[in-house]
Amino acid sequence: VQLVESGGGLVQPGGSLRLSCAASGFTFSGAYMRWFRQRPGKELEWVSSLDGRNDIMTYTTSVKGRFTVSRDIAKSTLYLQMNSLKPEDTAVYYCSYGTMKGQGTQVTVSS
């Protein structure tokens, strides 16, 4: 299993970013995928899930209406579109399959 996140960066409050997670080593089409984040000084926090069996998407309360999880099965890639970003969204973001997660991508929201 390999998960490689990308797309992080520095963005101003109110801005947008799209994170990508390139997956390999397992059957992506039916996989239950998750996004987590770790804010400075905080524990790992679940952000969003996408159930590959039925395309059901779920979100933690703090990102509902602002973040959207999606996937491209042909590319075995998971996405997280993040809009209306806030300073409290600053974190390292990880995608996860089962107990595995990638190396993470840093998102910094600051003016």
Side-chain angles (χ1 to χ4, degrees):
V1 172
Q2 188 172 23
L3 302 165
V4 180
E5 301 95 337
S6 61
L10 173 64
V11 63
Q12 292 188 342
S16 298
L17 282 173
R18 188 177 79 156
L19 306 183
S20 299
C21 172
S24 61
F26 60 97
T27 303
F28 183 75
S29 58
Y32 189 91
M33 301 296 296
R34 295 177 289 177
W35 285 101
F36 289 87
R37 66 184 179 187
Q38 188 160 26
R39 293 186 269 191
K42 303 289 188 180
E43 293 185 352
L44 198 65
E45 171 191 20
W46 169 75
V47 175
S48 178
S49 297
L50 190 154
D51 189 337
R53 298 166 299 176
N54 51 30
D55 280 326
I56 291 178
M57 298 168 282
T58 51
Y59 304 92
T60 192
T61 301
S62 62
V63 309
K64 276 182 185 176
R66 300 189 297 122
F67 289 13
T68 303
V69 62
S70 64
R71 63 177 180 160
D72 185 328
I73 294 174
K75 295 182 180 179
S76 293
T77 300
L78 182 73
Y79 301 101
L80 187 67
Q81 178 67 43
M82 306 187 297
N83 299 329
S84 302
L85 282 162
K86 305 175 181 180
E88 52 264 43
D89 294 317
T90 294
V92 179
Y93 284 73
Y94 302 90
C95 70
S96 173
Y97 170 66
T99 59
M100 304 295 292
K101 68 179 194 296
Q103 84 290 347
T105 186
Q106 175 72 49
V107 171
T108 302
V109 184
S110 174
S111 55

